[in-house]
Amino acid sequence: MDAQFKERWEQLQQLMSKIISYSEAVGLLHWDLRTGAPRKGVEARSETIGMLSTEAFKLQTSQEMGELLDFFAQSEIIEQLDDRKRRMVEECRKEYNRSKLIPEQKFKEYTVLAAHSESKWEEAKENSDFAGFEPYLSKIVAFKQEFIDYWGVKETRYDTLLDMYEPDLTVQKLDEVFDRLRARLVPLVKSILDSPNKPETEFLDQLFTNEQQEKFGTFLLEQMGYDFEAGRMDESVHPFCIGLSIGDVRITTNYIQDDVTSSLFSCLHEGGHALYEQNIDKELEGTGLAYGASMGIHESQSRLWENMIGRSRPFWNRYFRDLQQHFPDQFSSVDAEAFYRAINKVENSLIRIEADELTYNLHIIIRYEIEKMLFNEGLSVKDLPEVWNRKYKEYLGIMPPNDGLGVLQDVHWSGGDFGYFASYSLGNMYAAQFMHMMRKEIPNLDNLIEEGNLLPIKEWLTDKIHKYGKSETPAEIILRVTGEELNPDYLADYLEAKYKEIYKL
Amino acid sequence: MDAQFKERWEQLQQLMSKIISYSEAVGLLHWDLRTGAPRKGVEARSETIGMLSTEAFKLQTSQEMGELLDFFAQSEIIEQLDDRKRRMVEECRKEYNRSKLIPEQKFKEYTVLAAHSESKWEEAKENSDFAGFEPYLSKIVAFKQEFIDYWGVKETRYDTLLDMYEPDLTVQKLDEVFDRLRARLVPLVKSILDSPNKPETEFLDQLFTNEQQEKFGTFLLEQMGYDFEAGRMDESVHPFCIGLSIGDVRITTNYIQDDVTSSLFSCLHEGGHALYEQNIDKELEGTGLAYGASMGIHESQSRLWENMIGRSRPFWNRYFRDLQQHFPDQFSSVDAEAFYRAINKVENSLIRIEADELTYNLHIIIRYEIEKMLFNEGLSVKDLPEVWNRKYKEYLGIMPPNDGLGVLQDVHWSGGDFGYFASYSLGNMYAAQFMHMMRKEIPNLDNLIEEGNLLPIKEWLTDKIHKYGKSETPAEIILRVTGEELNPDYLADYLEAKYKEIYKL
């Protein structure tokens, strides 16, 4: 038995290694496309990406994989697995089921539809033409409903989708935390918008060269502890972070000439993602667990650095003089306090990706509520614009003038990514809960930040979160680190305290 | 029959596509390693490269490939193949035989040995320790001798090795051309070294920023017709050109602060390689024939641009003023003629890769003669240093002070690359023969160059050589383009005329 166990485990390891190698190659091919591959090579490149992705998919759903998973599912075998091995098998099984439970022909039809739907969405968004997009979106939703049946309905139908992005997260839990969060944020936003004490932001509206911005971004990443020997920074249209291996986690940024804050905060944001992947325990490499625990936990790391550290007063008390040194012409007559207030201005914007730290969560709650209605409560796709607009009016006091600036603004639904949006706000809530704990364990945190000593933050996060990679679930992590389940009050407390002070409420 | 033919052809095409996709991915993974991948990712990256290369190798030598090649080898099937398909099958068969004719276990042993041998060579070169390297090199040579038996002895044993790099090239032909070339070059070099009319080169010894060098290199590449929408230029320790697909042919250069000529001529050299691959007929993509015809033909394109155009008087009559504009501080008091003479200085250097256009060929002839002695005439590995030194004294009038600067200088032999060196001089000879024909067909060539109109050169080369890719053999190309076989007199004529004028002989 033991010999058979060893042999099978060896087989599984080899399969995993191959899948991981494909994933690194495909990752690099994508990275290259987005950071400077020549235009005329795109066609051949797409074929190469398609071929390698297909090979990886074939391995993941192969008969060999199925047999190995069945072997390790036997009760007398499970007993022989240590925690890490058990997690590894669980993750493989999840990936396997996600594709294998759906009839191959169905899956193919869906893939073709999703590709069409995405390009239809692009057109529809530009023309604010929801009616033109509606038939496609309806089909996507119908497919997803079918998939839910194949995958198996959890507590509710929508729970099955949530679980794809945030394992074990439920509608019951999310309803509870989002209700509490919304109840506190909606009135807060309202009183902020009514406040006469608005920050000045005119001085942000200047010209900043790419070279200046790149130098300052690099400086901040070094301060955070981003390891440039295990990564690199490039430019791309949309900033992103991609982990090719633990020793190669790359980020990109985008320089906007008349907006220094865009690239600056994207460096902190992507840097937060990158610190996570650079600091996963090296022993997890090759196991399939050397990734982030979930979308939500990943997002907590980026948002903690971008907002809770990067938009804090202690941070700019320390780093504003570096900003002035990097941009002497632009900021010579501004002070740290004015800058701090400017980068924390709250506005009831229509567009999620342009939203500030506070209202962002309301954009997400709206999407969550609508997705739940679609999958659990029989909302028809054709009624989406009306529900969307009503909720924007109610929560943010603002009404989209057209669907391009409303229900059509995000790509996610066109590709079938339902259940994904919640991760963004989960990230904020996790981050606030982690920060609360970090402040308890590092009582002089603000002093350290004001001294420019950010490494204890990185070390705390590595010790509590990063090094575990995917070997614990999100719920296990939050419980181990903070001693309680996800609790939205930490985020609400943090936001209230911060913004009441800024807006003198 | 026809349906079966179609089906089998489809199968072969699909196999080829996969192999080509792997090759693009592996190419990019290598390119990235050499242009800026972070140090700490190298280990995981090496595994990924190993895995993908193995997969490609498995396809190339698979049972399926063997069966398909056997099918297309049937005489009644061959008749149905058009020229392109026949070439495609021939190339696949060559690749297949190269690996399949050698017993798997032997091939594995050899691969391990070659890896060891390369690192032993590095050590030995540093310590000028030929004795320490000799046992490894002896084993490599013994393996290659065995392989020759497996592959089949052509006219002579060494012919089998030459054919790997330059299809159909023979010792008989090479002996003839190299003898003629050597007979004319050795006395030419001797009289140059005795000449009192040496070019001044002090003004080359200045500082040039990387930015200045990059701008000038980019300018020259644009002048040549290198398509930056189908490629890009980066920096690496050793310059190289890599074709990922016809639409993505990348080059690199290396900036040396106190030597502007190094990067400048590497741009022209790699640019010449790149023009070849960018201008292969798009219809050859996916056939396995969208590559250069051979090492020698490839090298003819780089050397034609680097030396015959790039080190010519008409070229600098036109572009010296651009050089001055790019480097106003360095070249304000130099003229085009002085620059032309300086970049064509001849020296009897010990090191091949530092040699000038003229003596370079003698470095190659020495290596060719020695390799031939090793494989055809029973020369023992332990006698290599003595033979090496004697030939350097005889042909170049110079004796290596130690083996590190002598027989140990090149990596090729340590990895078993015997038969490769000849390609470099073949490139020079092909290039001179092509140039001779180009001058016939474009009589005002020098005027065009002096006007800065280089595109007719690119177009001529595309029309005569580039577009064919690998669909003709080197011998077919040279015969079609110039109306005769390889003839070393064109190179000797060109070199004599050029250098007698420069050195006033």
Side-chain angles (χ1 to χ4, degrees), chain B residues 391-409:
Chain B
K391 287 193 183 276
Y392 263 78
K393 184 76 198 156
E394 190 184 337
Y395 300 164
L396 283 154
I398 190 170
M399 181 80 101
N402 61 54
D403 290 335
L405 298 171
V407 69
L408 289 172
Q409 69 182 263

Side-chain angles (χ1 to χ4, degrees), chain B residues 30-165:
Chain B
H30 273 298
W31 171 84
D32 182 66
L33 268 186
R34 295 167 74 179
T35 57
R39 189 177 65 75
K40 293 182 182 170
V42 171
E43 207 185 309
R45 175 63 57 86
S46 306
E47 269 186 48
T48 296
I49 289 176
M51 193 284 281
L52 295 181
S53 306
T54 306
E55 290 301 307
F57 182 80
K58 277 189 202 160
L59 293 180
Q60 231 150 11
T61 57
S62 60
Q63 196 183 337
E64 185 188 3
M65 179 66 94
E67 287 166 6
L68 287 167
L69 291 175
D70 287 345
F71 175 82
F72 289 108
Q74 299 170 86
S75 52
E76 70 274 24
I77 301 292
I78 291 177
E79 282 166 23
Q80 296 180 52
L81 297 172
D82 60 23
D83 285 357
R84 183 175 297 169
K85 288 199 170 82
R86 197 172 314 127
R87 279 287 299 149
M88 221 177 124
V89 171
E90 277 169 21
E91 282 301 315
C92 286
R93 169 62 73 181
K94 258 195 151 166
E95 281 297 325
Y96 182 81
N97 283 352
R98 195 165 299 180
S99 324
K100 279 304 246 199
L101 293 177
I102 298 183
E104 211 176 310
Q105 186 53 29
K106 268 261 164 292
F107 197 77
K108 267 196 190 152
E109 279 171 41
Y110 172 73
T111 312
V112 174
L113 171 67
H116 278 152
S117 167
E118 275 199 44
S119 67
K120 265 289 156 190
W121 163 76
E122 236 170 283
E123 228 181 287
K125 179 184 173 183
E126 238 184 78
N127 306 322
S128 279
D129 171 26
F130 185 78
F133 180 51
E134 198 235 289
Y136 291 86
L137 189 56
S138 293
K139 276 186 211 157
I140 291 270
V141 171
F143 263 107
K144 279 275 153 168
Q145 289 281 26
E146 263 194 278
F147 287 6
I148 291 172
D149 289 321
Y150 285 117
W151 286 322
V153 176
K154 301 207 162 218
E155 277 181 50
T156 75
R157 301 186 66 77
Y158 185 51
D159 280 282
T160 303
L161 299 182
L162 284 177
D163 178 68
M164 301 270 154
Y165 303 98

Side-chain angles (χ1 to χ4, degrees), chain A residues 464-475:
Chain A
K464 302 287 180 178
I465 301 156
H466 301 168
K467 68 178 184 189
Y468 293 91
K470 214 172 179 161
S471 58
E472 289 184 359
T473 64

Side-chain angles (χ1 to χ4, degrees), chain A residues 22 39-40 227 229 250, chain B residues 22 32 39-40 227 229:
Chain A
Y22 277 118
R39 189 177 65 75
K40 294 182 182 171
D227 182 355
E229 293 202 327
R250 305 179 179 200
Chain B
Y22 277 119
D32 182 66
R39 189 177 65 75
K40 293 182 182 170
D227 182 354
E229 293 203 328

Side-chain angles (χ1 to χ4, degrees), chain A residues 281-485:
Chain A
D281 189 344
K282 273 288 261 176
E283 294 211 347
L284 291 177
E285 200 143 63
T287 64
L289 302 177
Y291 301 104
S294 71
M295 286 283 312
I297 299 288
H298 229 310
E299 204 66 16
S300 77
Q301 299 308 297
S302 55
R303 284 164 189 265
L304 187 149
W305 279 102
E306 179 191 350
N307 293 328
M308 294 172 194
I309 308 290
R311 293 186 206 265
S312 74
R313 187 177 272 124
F315 188 83
W316 291 106
N317 281 348
R318 167 62 186 84
Y319 290 106
F320 188 70
R321 60 173 183 266
D322 295 289
L323 184 75
Q324 284 179 315
Q325 274 165 18
H326 281 79
F327 305 96
D329 297 342
Q330 294 91 331
F331 290 121
S332 57
S333 57
V334 183
D335 66 19
E337 182 61 20
F339 186 75
Y340 168 68
R341 288 174 50 81
I343 58 172
N344 284 298
K345 187 171 184 179
V346 172
E347 279 171 311
N348 52 350
S349 63
L350 287 167
I351 304 295
R352 175 183 61 86
I353 59 168
E354 293 166 8
D356 54 80
E357 177 187 16
L358 170 55
T359 59
Y360 193 93
N361 299 288
L362 296 175
H363 289 266
I364 296 305
I365 291 174
I366 290 171
R367 285 157 179 77
Y368 166 73
E369 292 176 354
I370 291 177
E371 291 187 353
K372 199 179 47 159
M373 290 166 78
L374 270 178
F375 287 94
N376 285 359
E377 297 158 25
L379 176 66
S380 164
V381 167
K382 72 172 182 345
D383 297 328
L384 279 180
E386 194 212 311
V387 181
W388 181 283
N389 295 344
R390 184 160 36 80
K391 287 194 183 275
Y392 263 78
K393 185 77 199 155
E394 189 183 339
Y395 300 164
L396 282 154
I398 190 171
M399 181 79 101
N402 61 54
D403 290 334
L405 297 171
V407 69
L408 288 172
Q409 69 182 264
D410 295 309
V411 66
H412 303 59
W413 292 347
S414 74
D417 286 335
F418 296 96
Y420 184 123
F421 280 120
S423 322
Y424 298 119
S425 264
L426 282 170
N428 289 332
M429 291 187 280
Y430 289 144
Q433 198 163 332
F434 290 144
M435 277 302 284
H436 179 81
M437 202 62 202
M438 198 194 299
R439 286 188 181 284
K440 265 197 181 161
E441 297 189 359
I442 311 178
N444 61 336
L445 185 69
D446 285 345
N447 294 338
L448 292 174
I449 296 173
E450 284 188 330
E451 288 163 10
N453 186 1
L454 306 181
L455 291 189
I457 302 175
K458 185 196 112 173
E459 281 161 16
W460 191 90
L461 292 169
T462 293
D463 193 45
K464 302 287 180 178
I465 301 156
H466 301 168
K467 68 178 184 189
Y468 293 91
K470 214 172 179 161
S471 58
E472 289 184 359
T473 64
E476 285 167 352
I477 292 170
I478 196 89
L479 188 62
R480 178 179 47 73
V481 176
T482 70
E484 59 177 315
E485 279 186 24

Side-chain angles (χ1 to χ4, degrees), chain B residues 163-319:
Chain B
D163 178 68
M164 301 270 154
Y165 303 98
E166 204 65 14
D168 303 329
L169 187 68
T170 62
V171 163
Q172 194 186 12
K173 179 74 187 170
L174 259 190
D175 275 354
E176 179 207 323
V177 298
F178 275 162
D179 283 352
R180 268 158 73 191
L181 194 62
R182 195 189 54 232
R184 291 180 66 181
L185 297 193
V186 170
L188 177 61
V189 169
K190 196 175 177 321
S191 52
I192 284 172
L193 295 176
D194 291 343
S195 160
N197 304 307
K198 303 221 187 310
E200 300 291 335
T201 57
E202 290 75 27
F203 56 82
L204 293 178
D205 203 13
Q206 302 186 62
L207 287 183
F208 308 86
T209 68
N210 289 7
E211 292 71 30
Q212 281 175 313
Q213 295 196 45
E214 186 186 338
K215 273 192 189 144
F216 191 60
T218 303
F219 166 73
L220 289 182
L221 285 161
E222 283 166 350
Q223 291 292 306
M224 289 171 70
Y226 175 79
D227 182 354
F228 277 95
E229 293 203 328
R232 48 180 287 165
M233 180 165 75
D234 295 84
E235 217 188 324
S236 66
V237 177
H238 298 290
F240 64 94
C241 166
I242 186 166
L244 301 174
S245 64
I246 293 174
D248 190 353
V249 184
R250 305 179 178 199
I251 59 176
T252 69
T253 189
N254 175 254
Y255 304 111
I256 302 180
Q257 283 254 310
D258 61 357
D259 180 6
V260 72
T261 62
S262 169
S263 161
L264 189 168
F265 287 108
S266 90
C267 283
L268 294 174
H269 183 99
E270 305 307 336
H273 282 302
L275 284 190
Y276 193 175
E277 304 227 354
Q278 282 187 337
N279 292 293
I280 293 172
D281 189 343
K282 273 287 260 176
E283 294 211 347
L284 291 177
E285 200 143 64
T287 64
L289 302 177
Y291 302 103
S294 71
M295 286 282 313
I297 299 289
H298 230 309
E299 203 66 16
S300 77
Q301 299 308 296
S302 54
R303 284 165 189 263
L304 188 150
W305 280 102
E306 178 191 350
N307 293 328
M308 293 171 195
I309 309 291
R311 292 186 207 264
S312 74
R313 187 176 274 124
F315 187 84
W316 291 106
N317 281 348
R318 167 63 186 84
Y319 290 105

